[in-house]
Amino acid sequence: MKIPRHPTLIRRFLQARQKQLQAKSPVLAASLVTIRRTCGNPNCRCARGQKHLGHYLTWKVKAKTHTAYVPVDLIPQVKQWTQEHRRLKQPVHQITLLSLALIQTHVTAQRRQRGRS
């Protein structure tokens, strides 16, 4: 994304990105992973190579990874929630860049207005 130099254009870009921030579903900042594992029962099929599937959420808190089991019936919802978080990350990043550009152009814009008054 190319950041404009004029404060009015920056504000327009900001407003457009802010409209994109409306969440369409709950937002979950985590990763949904599928793990194949053995249960430990020597007579189970997983002991012969057909491992059990497990779905887990992973997320970080203060640089430490946390994990939670996701029941099979919740997988579609949880997948949608994590995708919504990924969708919202880009507009948030763009809003940050535009806000910084607006701050950086503030002094120049003030000088421009004083010169015209």
Side-chain angles (χ1 to χ4, degrees), residues 14-94:
L14 270 170
Q15 289 172 351
R17 298 314 180 280
Q18 287 170 340
K19 286 180 184 177
Q20 293 176 355
L21 280 184
Q22 296 175 354
K24 297 175 177 106
S25 68
V27 178
L28 186 57
S31 297
L32 182 63
V33 294
T34 302
I35 298 174
R36 294 185 179 273
R37 56 181 5 168
T38 57
C39 65
N41 182 352
N43 297 324
C44 183
R45 64 181 171 90
C46 66
R48 295 183 297 277
Q50 292 181 329
K51 296 184 178 184
H52 301 286
L53 281 180
H55 301 279
Y56 295 87
L57 272 178
T58 60
W59 69 96
K60 292 201 181 250
V61 177
K62 295 183 181 176
K64 184 174 179 175
T65 303
H66 294 267
T67 306
Y69 172 75
V70 179
V72 174
D73 56 331
L74 285 180
I75 292 171
Q77 287 176 317
V78 171
K79 192 178 285 189
Q80 182 183 8
W81 299 346
T82 57
Q83 287 172 348
E84 184 67 8
H85 177 259
R86 269 187 251 120
R87 182 189 73 81
L88 292 174
K89 278 173 66 172
Q90 184 178 6
V92 167
H93 177 68
Q94 291 174 351

